[in-house]
Amino acid sequence: MDEPVAKNRVWDKNELMDRPELENLQLYRLRQVMDRVSHVPFYHQAFAEKGVTPDDIRTLEDIQKIPFTTKADLRDHYPLGFLAVPRNKILRYHGSSGTTGRPTFVAYTRNDLDLWAHLCARFLVAGGLLPEHTVQIAFGYGLFTGGFGLHYGIEKVGAAIIPAASGNSGRQLLLMQDLQTDVLVCTPSYALRLAEVIQQEQLDRTSLALKYAHLGAEPWSEDIRTHIEKELDILAFNNYGLSEVIGPGVSGECVYRNGMHIQEDHFIVECIDPDTLEPVPPGEQGELVFTALTKEAFPLLRYRTRDIASLNPEPCPCGRTSVRMSRITGRTDDMLIIRGVNVFPSQIEQALLKIEGTAPHYQIVVDRPGSLDTVTVNVEMSPAVFSDRMSDLQALRDHIVREIQSITGIQMQVNLVQPQTLERFTGKAKRVIDNRGALS
Ligand code: AMP
Ligand code: ZN
């Protein structure tokens, strides 16, 4: 590797704005966007009910006078009730990857597409991307915002793109070898999968030129990052976004990789207690809420993401002045209520990753055979452990049960399964199967 450590580069000067200047810009843009959405039926009615107009927004705290927008509101105005421009101004539609029912559509004008590419360029450059790099995009290209979002961001930076799209790991690796890919773009679960295939195929690491990965679109932990970086011998950067806000480009890590810089000149972020809806202090976990300040086609105000994270306003050594968000530790809607106790899948992952001998592949199955919830965690063993004696496996299983119980407070059934038996994912992983139906 000729450049083992990413250098601290900045794409545009807005990233370094003084806080007072940045906050003035936010306030100005907030009033403007309120004006732009005032004819959208949902906002027209919501502003009227609250009796709020742009003139009432005198400080950034006044954003709390604006009502929240939720996923349910988007569903109620399906498919395009939130459009703020005529349809002939739209250049592209995308959709959220909603697991249930219809997707949520979002739309972009020409300016929106330019902005999106610009924001992706910013986080990619913050994470070491150079024009001379060759980037392989192993994200799906389609309604999902990941593929196209990153594609145009990379193009803006001037790096070369291999639009491999998701899946077909053998072909991905061939492309990586033959075109000497420097940077990989995909989900963390797919990076894990590629690392696994490299090992299975006993591929010579020196035949690859891979240096960095920009991973996002789903939750992952620091332990998973360590695993991916070790297995692939790269630096892996986290980036976050959601289609309702713009797609990828909402935030991303700089070289210090200590939280994701939120692109605050274009989005106002709030972190709230999902029950009381009051702001939580910096450093405390809460639900992230975003207001898109500069989008034209589909600007949502105070959109409740259901993603749980904390905010860090401390200055970052990279010089960017924006607030950083932590990793997403869960979603308010992926919280499992097991016999009345709140459990996040990430807690189970945390327990598993502490234990030697398990692979980073697991599946959580929730049932309610009678009136009591049961949870079974299927855990894949690493190939080395799989060949061990039965008594060792029993000890491993008991260890996992104890570890999960100490973190979640719940005793779960643990099944150790053979290597390579659980499903692998080319896009976002789906690790929870809840069979409790509508009753849950
Ligand atoms: P979609 O708009 O359907 O692609 O999904 C957006 C959702 O993906 C977000 O609301 C998050 O729940 C999740 N997501 C995206 N990026 C990340 C990330 N870096 N870490 C954790 N979750 C993420
Ligand atoms: Zn930084």
Short mmCIF file of all heavy atoms in Angstrom, two decimals, residues 71 95-98 144-146 215-220 238-244 247 260 305 307 327-328 330-331 428, ligand 1:
data_model
loop_
_atom_site.label_atom_id
_atom_site.label_comp_id
_atom_site.label_asym_id
_atom_site.label_seq_id
_atom_site.Cartn_x
_atom_site.Cartn_y
_atom_site.Cartn_z
N LYS A 71 -42.84 8.89 9.07
CA LYS A 71 -43.02 7.92 7.98
C LYS A 71 -44.52 7.73 7.70
O LYS A 71 -44.93 7.58 6.55
CB LYS A 71 -42.37 6.60 8.39
CG LYS A 71 -42.38 5.55 7.34
CD LYS A 71 -41.14 5.66 6.49
CE LYS A 71 -40.96 4.47 5.58
NZ LYS A 71 -39.80 4.62 4.71
N GLY A 95 -36.63 5.25 -4.05
CA GLY A 95 -37.57 4.78 -3.04
C GLY A 95 -36.82 4.25 -1.84
O GLY A 95 -35.68 3.83 -1.97
N SER A 96 -37.45 4.28 -0.70
CA SER A 96 -36.80 3.71 0.48
C SER A 96 -36.98 2.20 0.41
O SER A 96 -37.89 1.70 -0.23
CB SER A 96 -37.42 4.24 1.76
OG SER A 96 -38.58 3.50 2.03
N SER A 97 -36.07 1.52 1.11
CA SER A 97 -36.06 0.06 1.01
C SER A 97 -37.05 -0.56 1.98
O SER A 97 -36.80 -1.64 2.46
CB SER A 97 -34.65 -0.41 1.32
OG SER A 97 -34.26 0.16 2.55
N GLY A 98 -38.10 0.14 2.34
CA GLY A 98 -39.07 -0.35 3.33
C GLY A 98 -39.31 -1.84 3.24
O GLY A 98 -39.50 -2.39 2.16
N PHE A 144 -33.17 1.97 -4.67
CA PHE A 144 -32.31 2.19 -3.51
C PHE A 144 -31.33 3.34 -3.82
O PHE A 144 -30.75 3.38 -4.90
CB PHE A 144 -31.56 0.89 -3.24
CG PHE A 144 -30.43 0.97 -2.25
CD1 PHE A 144 -30.65 1.47 -0.98
CD2 PHE A 144 -29.17 0.52 -2.59
CE1 PHE A 144 -29.61 1.52 -0.06
CE2 PHE A 144 -28.13 0.57 -1.67
CZ PHE A 144 -28.35 1.07 -0.41
N THR A 145 -31.16 4.26 -2.88
CA THR A 145 -30.36 5.46 -3.18
C THR A 145 -28.84 5.21 -3.14
O THR A 145 -28.08 6.06 -3.64
CB THR A 145 -30.67 6.57 -2.15
OG1 THR A 145 -30.63 6.00 -0.84
CG2 THR A 145 -32.02 7.20 -2.40
N GLY A 146 -28.43 4.07 -2.57
CA GLY A 146 -26.99 3.86 -2.36
C GLY A 146 -26.17 3.91 -3.64
O GLY A 146 -25.18 4.64 -3.73
N LEU A 215 -18.45 2.36 3.72
CA LEU A 215 -19.54 1.43 4.01
C LEU A 215 -20.68 2.16 4.70
O LEU A 215 -20.46 3.09 5.47
CB LEU A 215 -19.03 0.30 4.90
CG LEU A 215 -17.76 -0.40 4.40
CD1 LEU A 215 -17.31 -1.47 5.38
CD2 LEU A 215 -17.98 -1.02 3.02
N GLY A 216 -21.89 1.73 4.40
CA GLY A 216 -23.04 2.36 5.05
C GLY A 216 -24.30 1.65 4.65
O GLY A 216 -24.27 0.53 4.15
N ALA A 217 -25.43 2.31 4.92
CA ALA A 217 -26.78 1.83 4.58
C ALA A 217 -27.37 0.88 5.61
O ALA A 217 -28.54 0.51 5.50
CB ALA A 217 -26.84 1.20 3.19
N GLU A 218 -26.59 0.47 6.60
CA GLU A 218 -27.12 -0.41 7.65
C GLU A 218 -26.24 -0.28 8.89
O GLU A 218 -25.08 0.14 8.79
CB GLU A 218 -27.15 -1.86 7.17
CG GLU A 218 -25.76 -2.39 6.91
CD GLU A 218 -25.74 -3.86 6.54
OE1 GLU A 218 -26.80 -4.48 6.47
OE2 GLU A 218 -24.62 -4.39 6.36
N PRO A 219 -26.77 -0.66 10.04
CA PRO A 219 -25.98 -0.56 11.27
C PRO A 219 -24.82 -1.55 11.27
O PRO A 219 -24.93 -2.65 10.75
CB PRO A 219 -26.98 -0.94 12.37
CG PRO A 219 -28.32 -0.84 11.75
CD PRO A 219 -28.14 -1.10 10.29
N TRP A 220 -23.71 -1.12 11.83
CA TRP A 220 -22.57 -2.00 12.07
C TRP A 220 -21.82 -1.48 13.27
O TRP A 220 -21.94 -0.30 13.62
CB TRP A 220 -21.68 -2.14 10.83
CG TRP A 220 -21.16 -0.88 10.19
CD1 TRP A 220 -21.87 0.25 9.91
CD2 TRP A 220 -19.83 -0.63 9.73
NE1 TRP A 220 -21.06 1.17 9.29
CE2 TRP A 220 -19.80 0.66 9.15
CE3 TRP A 220 -18.64 -1.37 9.71
CZ2 TRP A 220 -18.66 1.23 8.59
CZ3 TRP A 220 -17.51 -0.81 9.15
CH2 TRP A 220 -17.52 0.47 8.60
N ASN A 238 -17.31 4.95 7.73
CA ASN A 238 -18.76 4.84 7.87
C ASN A 238 -19.44 6.07 7.27
O ASN A 238 -18.97 7.20 7.47
CB ASN A 238 -19.09 4.76 9.37
CG ASN A 238 -20.50 4.32 9.67
OD1 ASN A 238 -21.26 3.95 8.77
ND2 ASN A 238 -20.88 4.36 10.94
N ASN A 239 -20.50 5.86 6.52
CA ASN A 239 -21.30 7.01 6.07
C ASN A 239 -22.77 6.68 6.22
O ASN A 239 -23.17 5.52 6.14
CB ASN A 239 -20.93 7.41 4.64
CG ASN A 239 -21.44 6.43 3.62
OD1 ASN A 239 -22.58 6.51 3.18
ND2 ASN A 239 -20.60 5.47 3.25
N TYR A 240 -23.56 7.74 6.43
CA TYR A 240 -24.96 7.55 6.80
C TYR A 240 -25.87 8.43 5.95
O TYR A 240 -25.50 9.55 5.57
CB TYR A 240 -25.13 7.94 8.28
CG TYR A 240 -26.55 8.14 8.74
CD1 TYR A 240 -27.33 7.07 9.18
CD2 TYR A 240 -27.13 9.41 8.73
CE1 TYR A 240 -28.64 7.26 9.61
CE2 TYR A 240 -28.43 9.61 9.16
CZ TYR A 240 -29.19 8.52 9.60
OH TYR A 240 -30.48 8.71 10.02
N GLY A 241 -27.03 7.91 5.68
CA GLY A 241 -28.04 8.72 5.01
C GLY A 241 -29.33 7.95 4.91
O GLY A 241 -29.37 6.75 5.21
N LEU A 242 -30.36 8.62 4.52
CA LEU A 242 -31.63 7.93 4.29
C LEU A 242 -32.35 8.64 3.17
O LEU A 242 -32.19 9.85 2.98
CB LEU A 242 -32.49 7.85 5.56
CG LEU A 242 -33.03 9.11 6.19
CD1 LEU A 242 -34.08 8.70 7.22
CD2 LEU A 242 -31.93 9.86 6.92
N SER A 243 -33.10 7.85 2.40
CA SER A 243 -33.67 8.41 1.18
C SER A 243 -34.59 9.59 1.46
O SER A 243 -34.60 10.56 0.72
CB SER A 243 -34.38 7.33 0.37
OG SER A 243 -35.11 6.49 1.19
N GLU A 244 -35.33 9.53 2.57
CA GLU A 244 -36.28 10.62 2.85
C GLU A 244 -35.55 11.96 3.04
O GLU A 244 -36.14 13.01 2.83
CB GLU A 244 -37.11 10.32 4.10
CG GLU A 244 -38.05 9.12 3.96
CD GLU A 244 -37.39 7.82 4.38
OE1 GLU A 244 -36.14 7.71 4.31
OE2 GLU A 244 -38.12 6.89 4.77
N GLY A 247 -30.59 10.57 0.87
CA GLY A 247 -29.88 9.34 0.52
C GLY A 247 -28.53 9.43 1.20
O GLY A 247 -28.36 10.22 2.14
N MET A 260 -19.59 10.73 12.66
CA MET A 260 -19.82 11.14 11.27
C MET A 260 -20.23 12.61 11.24
O MET A 260 -21.18 13.02 11.90
CB MET A 260 -20.90 10.27 10.64
CG MET A 260 -20.45 8.82 10.47
SD MET A 260 -21.70 7.76 9.75
CE MET A 260 -22.65 7.29 11.18
N THR A 305 -36.40 10.12 11.95
CA THR A 305 -35.76 9.02 11.21
C THR A 305 -35.99 7.65 11.84
O THR A 305 -35.81 6.64 11.20
CB THR A 305 -34.23 9.21 11.18
OG1 THR A 305 -33.77 9.21 12.54
CG2 THR A 305 -33.85 10.52 10.51
N ASP A 307 -33.93 6.45 13.73
CA ASP A 307 -32.55 5.99 13.97
C ASP A 307 -32.06 6.56 15.30
O ASP A 307 -32.22 7.75 15.56
CB ASP A 307 -31.61 6.47 12.86
CG ASP A 307 -31.89 5.77 11.54
OD1 ASP A 307 -32.26 4.58 11.58
OD2 ASP A 307 -31.74 6.40 10.49
N ARG A 327 -22.30 6.27 15.67
CA ARG A 327 -22.92 5.18 14.92
C ARG A 327 -24.39 5.09 15.29
O ARG A 327 -24.76 5.45 16.41
CB ARG A 327 -22.32 3.84 15.33
CG ARG A 327 -20.95 3.65 14.89
CD ARG A 327 -20.43 2.31 15.38
NE ARG A 327 -19.12 2.12 14.78
CZ ARG A 327 -18.94 1.78 13.51
NH1 ARG A 327 -19.97 1.54 12.73
NH2 ARG A 327 -17.73 1.66 13.02
N ILE A 328 -25.18 4.52 14.41
CA ILE A 328 -26.58 4.22 14.74
C ILE A 328 -26.56 2.95 15.59
O ILE A 328 -26.00 1.93 15.16
CB ILE A 328 -27.40 3.96 13.45
CG1 ILE A 328 -27.31 5.15 12.49
CG2 ILE A 328 -28.84 3.58 13.78
CD1 ILE A 328 -28.03 6.38 12.94
N GLY A 330 -29.38 1.56 16.87
CA GLY A 330 -30.61 0.80 16.68
C GLY A 330 -31.64 1.71 16.05
O GLY A 330 -31.36 2.88 15.77
N ARG A 331 -32.81 1.16 15.81
CA ARG A 331 -33.91 1.98 15.30
C ARG A 331 -35.06 1.81 16.26
O ARG A 331 -35.26 0.73 16.80
CB ARG A 331 -34.32 1.49 13.90
CG ARG A 331 -33.33 1.84 12.82
CD ARG A 331 -33.74 1.24 11.48
NE ARG A 331 -35.09 1.64 11.09
CZ ARG A 331 -35.39 2.76 10.43
NH1 ARG A 331 -34.45 3.59 10.08
NH2 ARG A 331 -36.64 3.03 10.11
N LYS A 428 -28.51 -4.79 2.34
CA LYS A 428 -28.72 -4.64 3.78
C LYS A 428 -29.04 -6.01 4.37
O LYS A 428 -29.85 -6.75 3.83
CB LYS A 428 -29.90 -3.71 4.04
CG LYS A 428 -29.70 -2.31 3.50
CD LYS A 428 -30.86 -1.42 3.91
CE LYS A 428 -30.83 -0.11 3.16
NZ LYS A 428 -31.00 1.04 4.04
P1 AMP B 1 -33.00 3.69 2.96
O1 AMP B 1 -33.31 5.12 2.81
O2 AMP B 1 -34.17 2.83 2.74
O3 AMP B 1 -31.81 3.25 2.16
O4 AMP B 1 -32.58 3.40 4.46
C1 AMP B 1 -32.04 4.36 5.31
C2 AMP B 1 -31.78 3.73 6.65
O5 AMP B 1 -30.63 2.88 6.59
C3 AMP B 1 -31.46 4.73 7.72
O6 AMP B 1 -32.62 5.32 8.27
C4 AMP B 1 -30.71 3.86 8.73
O7 AMP B 1 -31.61 3.13 9.52
C5 AMP B 1 -29.94 2.90 7.84
N1 AMP B 1 -28.57 3.38 7.64
C6 AMP B 1 -28.07 4.06 6.61
N2 AMP B 1 -26.74 4.30 6.78
C7 AMP B 1 -26.40 3.76 7.97
C8 AMP B 1 -25.19 3.67 8.73
N3 AMP B 1 -24.04 4.16 8.29
N4 AMP B 1 -25.25 3.05 9.93
C9 AMP B 1 -26.41 2.54 10.39
N5 AMP B 1 -27.57 2.57 9.73
C10 AMP B 1 -27.58 3.18 8.52
#
